[in-house]
Amino acid sequence: DAKTTQPPSMDCAEGRAANLPCNHSTISGNEYVYWYRQIHSQGPQYIIHGLKNNETNEMASLIITEDRKSSTLILPHATLRDTAVYYCIVRVSPNSGGSNYKLTFGKGTLLTVNP
Amino acid sequence: KAGVTQTPRYLIKTRGQQVTLSCSPISGHRSVSWYQQTPGQGLQFLFEYFSETQRNKGNFPGRFSGRQFSNSRSEMNVSTLELGDSALYLCASSFPQGGYTFGSGTRLTVV
């Protein structure tokens, strides 16, 4: 079972920031938060990941609460091409020395960016 | 840099047949994972291979199998196909920073 909870859908106006929440209250100390998105009929696309510090890259920002029980993915200026299903996933890092690296996908959030 | 390549893109098979899907990971990536995506069950993990060894396996029947070659290319096989095996099959290879890169998938239709 997925270890995360996300709203099933959200709307955002084009050009505005899209803030996608995710709850992961049972996250373990060695688990990272990963975000992927999937545009219809394509393979999921990696967006960003983080452990406990906020992260930013060219696609998005990831804000993780201090207790690590929730996080928010921020798309600063959403475009129509950002319409997709966004998945929040927790997993151990492949560099952790463990063996269970699989991604467990939940149902994600369908983000619809409106013109 | 080439991405993850999956072949074929589309496939139609008849119930009872078997099928083999292929995945070529990004050059230098040694981990390959397979996922099944259906409208009802979403994305489900099938198995993961690392250096030719199966490292993890999901909850799928034994009809689903895979292997990885010394060049990290991977194949998955489904025997005795059932209608319910119709799905998008996705392959992913490991990304240096820990994120997986997915291919575009193989859409299998069983009739």
Side-chain angles (χ1 to χ4, degrees), chain A residues 77-107:
Chain A
H77 305 287
T79 70
L80 298 179
R81 289 184 297 178
D82 292 322
T83 293
V85 177
Y86 287 76
Y87 297 98
C88 169
I89 299 162
V90 296
R91 68 181 278 244
V92 297
S93 166
N95 301 319
S96 68
S99 61
N100 187 8
Y101 309 128
K102 68 180 182 182
L103 298 172
T104 301
F105 288 85
K107 297 192 181 301

PDB file of all heavy atoms in Angstrom, chain A residues 77-107:
ATOM      1  N   HIS A  77       5.186  28.667 -11.659  1.00  0.00           N
ATOM      2  CA  HIS A  77       4.392  29.329 -12.698  1.00  0.00           C
ATOM      3  C   HIS A  77       3.805  28.239 -13.604  1.00  0.00           C
ATOM      4  O   HIS A  77       4.398  27.867 -14.612  1.00  0.00           O
ATOM      5  CB  HIS A  77       5.256  30.287 -13.527  1.00  0.00           C
ATOM      6  CG  HIS A  77       5.988  31.312 -12.716  1.00  0.00           C
ATOM      7  ND1 HIS A  77       5.353  32.392 -12.128  1.00  0.00           N
ATOM      8  CD2 HIS A  77       7.288  31.396 -12.351  1.00  0.00           C
ATOM      9  CE1 HIS A  77       6.249  33.103 -11.451  1.00  0.00           C
ATOM     10  NE2 HIS A  77       7.420  32.519 -11.562  1.00  0.00           N
ATOM     11  N   ALA A  78       2.656  27.717 -13.211  1.00  0.00           N
ATOM     12  CA  ALA A  78       2.089  26.575 -13.922  1.00  0.00           C
ATOM     13  C   ALA A  78       1.706  26.945 -15.357  1.00  0.00           C
ATOM     14  O   ALA A  78       1.207  28.042 -15.630  1.00  0.00           O
ATOM     15  CB  ALA A  78       0.865  26.065 -13.170  1.00  0.00           C
ATOM     16  N   THR A  79       1.952  25.999 -16.253  1.00  0.00           N
ATOM     17  CA  THR A  79       1.543  26.153 -17.644  1.00  0.00           C
ATOM     18  C   THR A  79       0.582  25.026 -18.000  1.00  0.00           C
ATOM     19  O   THR A  79       0.447  24.052 -17.243  1.00  0.00           O
ATOM     20  CB  THR A  79       2.746  26.105 -18.596  1.00  0.00           C
ATOM     21  OG1 THR A  79       3.265  24.765 -18.625  1.00  0.00           O
ATOM     22  CG2 THR A  79       3.847  27.060 -18.151  1.00  0.00           C
ATOM     23  N   LEU A  80      -0.048  25.138 -19.156  1.00  0.00           N
ATOM     24  CA  LEU A  80      -0.999  24.112 -19.574  1.00  0.00           C
ATOM     25  C   LEU A  80      -0.315  22.750 -19.675  1.00  0.00           C
ATOM     26  O   LEU A  80      -0.937  21.704 -19.423  1.00  0.00           O
ATOM     27  CB  LEU A  80      -1.631  24.492 -20.913  1.00  0.00           C
ATOM     28  CG  LEU A  80      -2.441  25.792 -20.931  1.00  0.00           C
ATOM     29  CD1 LEU A  80      -2.996  26.049 -22.329  1.00  0.00           C
ATOM     30  CD2 LEU A  80      -3.562  25.766 -19.908  1.00  0.00           C
ATOM     31  N   ARG A  81       0.981  22.747 -20.007  1.00  0.00           N
ATOM     32  CA  ARG A  81       1.711  21.499 -20.148  1.00  0.00           C
ATOM     33  C   ARG A  81       2.001  20.827 -18.811  1.00  0.00           C
ATOM     34  O   ARG A  81       2.490  19.693 -18.779  1.00  0.00           O
ATOM     35  CB  ARG A  81       3.021  21.748 -20.897  1.00  0.00           C
ATOM     36  CG  ARG A  81       2.828  22.048 -22.370  1.00  0.00           C
ATOM     37  CD  ARG A  81       4.143  22.198 -23.090  1.00  0.00           C
ATOM     38  NE  ARG A  81       4.920  23.331 -22.588  1.00  0.00           N
ATOM     39  CZ  ARG A  81       6.120  23.658 -23.028  1.00  0.00           C
ATOM     40  NH1 ARG A  81       6.723  22.931 -23.946  1.00  0.00           N
ATOM     41  NH2 ARG A  81       6.755  24.708 -22.532  1.00  0.00           N
ATOM     42  N   ASP A  82       1.722  21.520 -17.716  1.00  0.00           N
ATOM     43  CA  ASP A  82       1.903  20.909 -16.394  1.00  0.00           C
ATOM     44  C   ASP A  82       0.682  20.090 -15.979  1.00  0.00           C
ATOM     45  O   ASP A  82       0.691  19.475 -14.909  1.00  0.00           O
ATOM     46  CB  ASP A  82       2.180  21.988 -15.350  1.00  0.00           C
ATOM     47  CG  ASP A  82       3.533  22.651 -15.542  1.00  0.00           C
ATOM     48  OD1 ASP A  82       4.502  21.942 -15.907  1.00  0.00           O
ATOM     49  OD2 ASP A  82       3.625  23.884 -15.334  1.00  0.00           O
ATOM     50  N   THR A  83      -0.371  20.086 -16.788  1.00  0.00           N
ATOM     51  CA  THR A  83      -1.538  19.255 -16.493  1.00  0.00           C
ATOM     52  C   THR A  83      -1.110  17.789 -16.532  1.00  0.00           C
ATOM     53  O   THR A  83      -0.626  17.306 -17.564  1.00  0.00           O
ATOM     54  CB  THR A  83      -2.668  19.512 -17.496  1.00  0.00           C
ATOM     55  OG1 THR A  83      -3.161  20.841 -17.313  1.00  0.00           O
ATOM     56  CG2 THR A  83      -3.801  18.508 -17.306  1.00  0.00           C
ATOM     57  N   ALA A  84      -1.269  17.108 -15.409  1.00  0.00           N
ATOM     58  CA  ALA A  84      -0.771  15.733 -15.279  1.00  0.00           C
ATOM     59  C   ALA A  84      -1.228  15.162 -13.948  1.00  0.00           C
ATOM     60  O   ALA A  84      -1.770  15.878 -13.104  1.00  0.00           O
ATOM     61  CB  ALA A  84       0.758  15.704 -15.343  1.00  0.00           C
ATOM     62  N   VAL A  85      -0.978  13.883 -13.750  1.00  0.00           N
ATOM     63  CA  VAL A  85      -1.157  13.259 -12.436  1.00  0.00           C
ATOM     64  C   VAL A  85       0.187  13.318 -11.716  1.00  0.00           C
ATOM     65  O   VAL A  85       1.207  12.903 -12.264  1.00  0.00           O
ATOM     66  CB  VAL A  85      -1.626  11.801 -12.554  1.00  0.00           C
ATOM     67  CG1 VAL A  85      -1.731  11.166 -11.160  1.00  0.00           C
ATOM     68  CG2 VAL A  85      -2.974  11.720 -13.269  1.00  0.00           C
ATOM     69  N   TYR A  86       0.162  13.861 -10.503  1.00  0.00           N
ATOM     70  CA  TYR A  86       1.374  14.020  -9.714  1.00  0.00           C
ATOM     71  C   TYR A  86       1.378  13.008  -8.576  1.00  0.00           C
ATOM     72  O   TYR A  86       0.419  12.902  -7.822  1.00  0.00           O
ATOM     73  CB  TYR A  86       1.463  15.447  -9.166  1.00  0.00           C
ATOM     74  CG  TYR A  86       1.801  16.458 -10.243  1.00  0.00           C
ATOM     75  CD1 TYR A  86       0.823  16.874 -11.150  1.00  0.00           C
ATOM     76  CD2 TYR A  86       3.086  16.958 -10.372  1.00  0.00           C
ATOM     77  CE1 TYR A  86       1.134  17.774 -12.162  1.00  0.00           C
ATOM     78  CE2 TYR A  86       3.406  17.864 -11.379  1.00  0.00           C
ATOM     79  CZ  TYR A  86       2.426  18.259 -12.266  1.00  0.00           C
ATOM     80  OH  TYR A  86       2.741  19.144 -13.277  1.00  0.00           O
ATOM     81  N   TYR A  87       2.463  12.278  -8.481  1.00  0.00           N
ATOM     82  CA  TYR A  87       2.600  11.236  -7.462  1.00  0.00           C
ATOM     83  C   TYR A  87       3.653  11.628  -6.434  1.00  0.00           C
ATOM     84  O   TYR A  87       4.767  12.034  -6.787  1.00  0.00           O
ATOM     85  CB  TYR A  87       3.032   9.917  -8.093  1.00  0.00           C
ATOM     86  CG  TYR A  87       2.065   9.312  -9.074  1.00  0.00           C
ATOM     87  CD1 TYR A  87       2.225   9.483 -10.446  1.00  0.00           C
ATOM     88  CD2 TYR A  87       0.986   8.546  -8.622  1.00  0.00           C
ATOM     89  CE1 TYR A  87       1.346   8.912 -11.348  1.00  0.00           C
ATOM     90  CE2 TYR A  87       0.105   7.974  -9.525  1.00  0.00           C
ATOM     91  CZ  TYR A  87       0.288   8.156 -10.879  1.00  0.00           C
ATOM     92  OH  TYR A  87      -0.582   7.590 -11.765  1.00  0.00           O
ATOM     93  N   CYS A  88       3.284  11.485  -5.193  1.00  0.00           N
ATOM     94  CA  CYS A  88       4.201  11.671  -4.071  1.00  0.00           C
ATOM     95  C   CYS A  88       4.529  10.283  -3.528  1.00  0.00           C
ATOM     96  O   CYS A  88       3.626   9.503  -3.240  1.00  0.00           O
ATOM     97  CB  CYS A  88       3.519  12.530  -3.007  1.00  0.00           C
ATOM     98  SG  CYS A  88       4.362  12.620  -1.423  1.00  0.00           S
ATOM     99  N   ILE A  89       5.800   9.977  -3.407  1.00  0.00           N
ATOM    100  CA  ILE A  89       6.227   8.637  -3.023  1.00  0.00           C
ATOM    101  C   ILE A  89       7.311   8.749  -1.963  1.00  0.00           C
ATOM    102  O   ILE A  89       8.172   9.627  -2.043  1.00  0.00           O
ATOM    103  CB  ILE A  89       6.796   7.893  -4.248  1.00  0.00           C
ATOM    104  CG1 ILE A  89       5.736   7.756  -5.338  1.00  0.00           C
ATOM    105  CG2 ILE A  89       7.345   6.517  -3.864  1.00  0.00           C
ATOM    106  CD1 ILE A  89       6.311   7.431  -6.693  1.00  0.00           C
ATOM    107  N   VAL A  90       7.274   7.859  -0.990  1.00  0.00           N
ATOM    108  CA  VAL A  90       8.376   7.787  -0.035  1.00  0.00           C
ATOM    109  C   VAL A  90       9.114   6.467  -0.254  1.00  0.00           C
ATOM    110  O   VAL A  90       8.502   5.439  -0.456  1.00  0.00           O
ATOM    111  CB  VAL A  90       7.910   7.903   1.428  1.00  0.00           C
ATOM    112  CG1 VAL A  90       7.284   9.268   1.669  1.00  0.00           C
ATOM    113  CG2 VAL A  90       6.927   6.814   1.788  1.00  0.00           C
ATOM    114  N   ARG A  91      10.415   6.526  -0.236  1.00  0.00           N
ATOM    115  CA  ARG A  91      11.214   5.322  -0.411  1.00  0.00           C
ATOM    116  C   ARG A  91      12.618   5.567   0.118  1.00  0.00           C
ATOM    117  O   ARG A  91      13.059   6.703   0.225  1.00  0.00           O
ATOM    118  CB  ARG A  91      11.288   4.922  -1.874  1.00  0.00           C
ATOM    119  CG  ARG A  91      12.075   5.882  -2.745  1.00  0.00           C
ATOM    120  CD  ARG A  91      12.085   5.454  -4.189  1.00  0.00           C
ATOM    121  NE  ARG A  91      13.087   4.445  -4.474  1.00  0.00           N
ATOM    122  CZ  ARG A  91      14.101   4.643  -5.285  1.00  0.00           C
ATOM    123  NH1 ARG A  91      14.293   5.801  -5.866  1.00  0.00           N
ATOM    124  NH2 ARG A  91      14.956   3.658  -5.531  1.00  0.00           N
ATOM    125  N   VAL A  92      13.311   4.478   0.415  1.00  0.00           N
ATOM    126  CA  VAL A  92      14.693   4.619   0.838  1.00  0.00           C
ATOM    127  C   VAL A  92      15.536   4.962  -0.376  1.00  0.00           C
ATOM    128  O   VAL A  92      15.192   4.634  -1.505  1.00  0.00           O
ATOM    129  CB  VAL A  92      15.212   3.337   1.514  1.00  0.00           C
ATOM    130  CG1 VAL A  92      14.416   3.058   2.789  1.00  0.00           C
ATOM    131  CG2 VAL A  92      15.144   2.146   0.569  1.00  0.00           C
ATOM    132  N   SER A  93      16.641   5.606  -0.144  1.00  0.00           N
ATOM    133  CA  SER A  93      17.547   5.937  -1.220  1.00  0.00           C
ATOM    134  C   SER A  93      18.304   4.700  -1.668  1.00  0.00           C
ATOM    135  O   SER A  93      18.679   3.874  -0.845  1.00  0.00           O
ATOM    136  CB  SER A  93      18.555   6.993  -0.766  1.00  0.00           C
ATOM    137  OG  SER A  93      19.632   7.086  -1.687  1.00  0.00           O
ATOM    138  N   PRO A  94      18.520   4.527  -2.975  1.00  0.00           N
ATOM    139  CA  PRO A  94      19.342   3.412  -3.450  1.00  0.00           C
ATOM    140  C   PRO A  94      20.748   3.438  -2.874  1.00  0.00           C
ATOM    141  O   PRO A  94      21.440   2.440  -2.894  1.00  0.00           O
ATOM    142  CB  PRO A  94      19.369   3.603  -4.965  1.00  0.00           C
ATOM    143  CG  PRO A  94      18.157   4.397  -5.262  1.00  0.00           C
ATOM    144  CD  PRO A  94      17.958   5.295  -4.078  1.00  0.00           C
ATOM    145  N   ASN A  95      21.167   4.566  -2.343  1.00  0.00           N
ATOM    146  CA  ASN A  95      22.504   4.678  -1.765  1.00  0.00           C
ATOM    147  C   ASN A  95      22.524   4.319  -0.283  1.00  0.00           C
ATOM    148  O   ASN A  95      23.545   4.442   0.370  1.00  0.00           O
ATOM    149  CB  ASN A  95      23.028   6.112  -1.943  1.00  0.00           C
ATOM    150  CG  ASN A  95      23.101   6.511  -3.403  1.00  0.00           C
ATOM    151  OD1 ASN A  95      23.495   5.713  -4.251  1.00  0.00           O
ATOM    152  ND2 ASN A  95      22.729   7.738  -3.706  1.00  0.00           N
ATOM    153  N   SER A  96      21.362   3.874   0.232  1.00  0.00           N
ATOM    154  CA  SER A  96      21.263   3.637   1.670  1.00  0.00           C
ATOM    155  C   SER A  96      21.873   2.320   2.086  1.00  0.00           C
ATOM    156  O   SER A  96      22.041   2.062   3.271  1.00  0.00           O
ATOM    157  CB  SER A  96      19.797   3.669   2.099  1.00  0.00           C
ATOM    158  OG  SER A  96      19.110   2.554   1.566  1.00  0.00           O
ATOM    159  N   GLY A  97      22.140   1.446   1.106  1.00  0.00           N
ATOM    160  CA  GLY A  97      22.703   0.149   1.449  1.00  0.00           C
ATOM    161  C   GLY A  97      21.651  -0.914   1.709  1.00  0.00           C
ATOM    162  O   GLY A  97      21.960  -2.057   1.961  1.00  0.00           O
ATOM    163  N   GLY A  98      20.382  -0.541   1.632  1.00  0.00           N
ATOM    164  CA  GLY A  98      19.315  -1.515   1.819  1.00  0.00           C
ATOM    165  C   GLY A  98      18.993  -2.233   0.521  1.00  0.00           C
ATOM    166  O   GLY A  98      19.776  -2.231  -0.418  1.00  0.00           O
ATOM    167  N   SER A  99      17.813  -2.837   0.447  1.00  0.00           N
ATOM    168  CA  SER A  99      17.483  -3.605  -0.751  1.00  0.00           C
ATOM    169  C   SER A  99      16.097  -3.312  -1.300  1.00  0.00           C
ATOM    170  O   SER A  99      15.762  -3.766  -2.384  1.00  0.00           O
ATOM    171  CB  SER A  99      17.598  -5.097  -0.461  1.00  0.00           C
ATOM    172  OG  SER A  99      16.679  -5.461   0.561  1.00  0.00           O
ATOM    173  N   ASN A 100      15.268  -2.572  -0.584  1.00  0.00           N
ATOM    174  CA  ASN A 100      13.902  -2.337  -1.046  1.00  0.00           C
ATOM    175  C   ASN A 100      13.796  -0.946  -1.630  1.00  0.00           C
ATOM    176  O   ASN A 100      13.530   0.021  -0.931  1.00  0.00           O
ATOM    177  CB  ASN A 100      12.922  -2.517   0.110  1.00  0.00           C
ATOM    178  CG  ASN A 100      11.486  -2.446  -0.386  1.00  0.00           C
ATOM    179  OD1 ASN A 100      11.229  -2.402  -1.578  1.00  0.00           O
ATOM    180  ND2 ASN A 100      10.556  -2.416   0.545  1.00  0.00           N
ATOM    181  N   TYR A 101      14.045  -0.841  -2.929  1.00  0.00           N
ATOM    182  CA  TYR A 101      14.059   0.465  -3.561  1.00  0.00           C
ATOM    183  C   TYR A 101      12.824   0.727  -4.401  1.00  0.00           C
ATOM    184  O   TYR A 101      12.746   1.725  -5.075  1.00  0.00           O
ATOM    185  CB  TYR A 101      15.292   0.582  -4.471  1.00  0.00           C
ATOM    186  CG  TYR A 101      16.579   0.219  -3.778  1.00  0.00           C
ATOM    187  CD1 TYR A 101      17.440  -0.703  -4.322  1.00  0.00           C
ATOM    188  CD2 TYR A 101      16.930   0.824  -2.581  1.00  0.00           C
ATOM    189  CE1 TYR A 101      18.625  -1.039  -3.696  1.00  0.00           C
ATOM    190  CE2 TYR A 101      18.111   0.502  -1.941  1.00  0.00           C
ATOM    191  CZ  TYR A 101      18.957  -0.431  -2.513  1.00  0.00           C
ATOM    192  OH  TYR A 101      20.124  -0.758  -1.904  1.00  0.00           O
ATOM    193  N   LYS A 102      11.862  -0.187  -4.358  1.00  0.00           N
ATOM    194  CA  LYS A 102      10.763  -0.041  -5.292  1.00  0.00           C
ATOM    195  C   LYS A 102       9.966   1.223  -5.000  1.00  0.00           C
ATOM    196  O   LYS A 102       9.904   1.720  -3.882  1.00  0.00           O
ATOM    197  CB  LYS A 102       9.841  -1.247  -5.216  1.00  0.00           C
ATOM    198  CG  LYS A 102       9.085  -1.365  -3.909  1.00  0.00           C
ATOM    199  CD  LYS A 102       8.184  -2.591  -3.929  1.00  0.00           C
ATOM    200  CE  LYS A 102       7.383  -2.696  -2.643  1.00  0.00           C
ATOM    201  NZ  LYS A 102       6.529  -3.915  -2.626  1.00  0.00           N
ATOM    202  N   LEU A 103       9.342   1.748  -6.047  1.00  0.00           N
ATOM    203  CA  LEU A 103       8.444   2.887  -5.930  1.00  0.00           C
ATOM    204  C   LEU A 103       7.035   2.354  -5.753  1.00  0.00           C
ATOM    205  O   LEU A 103       6.568   1.573  -6.565  1.00  0.00           O
ATOM    206  CB  LEU A 103       8.526   3.750  -7.188  1.00  0.00           C
ATOM    207  CG  LEU A 103       9.884   4.379  -7.503  1.00  0.00           C
ATOM    208  CD1 LEU A 103       9.848   5.034  -8.881  1.00  0.00           C
ATOM    209  CD2 LEU A 103      10.250   5.401  -6.442  1.00  0.00           C
ATOM    210  N   THR A 104       6.371   2.767  -4.696  1.00  0.00           N
ATOM    211  CA  THR A 104       4.983   2.376  -4.476  1.00  0.00           C
ATOM    212  C   THR A 104       4.104   3.582  -4.781  1.00  0.00           C
ATOM    213  O   THR A 104       4.092   4.558  -4.025  1.00  0.00           O
ATOM    214  CB  THR A 104       4.759   1.909  -3.028  1.00  0.00           C
ATOM    215  OG1 THR A 104       5.617   0.793  -2.767  1.00  0.00           O
ATOM    216  CG2 THR A 104       3.308   1.485  -2.834  1.00  0.00           C
ATOM    217  N   PHE A 105       3.410   3.502  -5.895  1.00  0.00           N
ATOM    218  CA  PHE A 105       2.579   4.609  -6.351  1.00  0.00           C
ATOM    219  C   PHE A 105       1.192   4.521  -5.734  1.00  0.00           C
ATOM    220  O   PHE A 105       0.601   3.454  -5.681  1.00  0.00           O
ATOM    221  CB  PHE A 105       2.443   4.572  -7.875  1.00  0.00           C
ATOM    222  CG  PHE A 105       3.680   4.959  -8.629  1.00  0.00           C
ATOM    223  CD1 PHE A 105       4.661   4.023  -8.902  1.00  0.00           C
ATOM    224  CD2 PHE A 105       3.865   6.255  -9.081  1.00  0.00           C
ATOM    225  CE1 PHE A 105       5.808   4.366  -9.600  1.00  0.00           C
ATOM    226  CE2 PHE A 105       5.005   6.611  -9.772  1.00  0.00           C
ATOM    227  CZ  PHE A 105       5.976   5.671 -10.037  1.00  0.00           C
ATOM    228  N   GLY A 106       0.682   5.645  -5.287  1.00  0.00           N
ATOM    229  CA  GLY A 106      -0.719   5.746  -4.908  1.00  0.00           C
ATOM    230  C   GLY A 106      -1.507   6.211  -6.122  1.00  0.00           C
ATOM    231  O   GLY A 106      -1.087   5.998  -7.260  1.00  0.00           O
ATOM    232  N   LYS A 107      -2.631   6.842  -5.881  1.00  0.00           N
ATOM    233  CA  LYS A 107      -3.457   7.306  -6.992  1.00  0.00           C
ATOM    234  C   LYS A 107      -3.073   8.702  -7.473  1.00  0.00           C
ATOM    235  O   LYS A 107      -3.500   9.131  -8.525  1.00  0.00           O
ATOM    236  CB  LYS A 107      -4.935   7.258  -6.604  1.00  0.00           C
ATOM    237  CG  LYS A 107      -5.407   5.841  -6.317  1.00  0.00           C
ATOM    238  CD  LYS A 107      -6.917   5.760  -6.224  1.00  0.00           C
ATOM    239  CE  LYS A 107      -7.371   4.343  -5.916  1.00  0.00           C
ATOM    240  NZ  LYS A 107      -6.933   3.387  -6.943  1.00  0.00           N
TER     241      LYS A 107
END
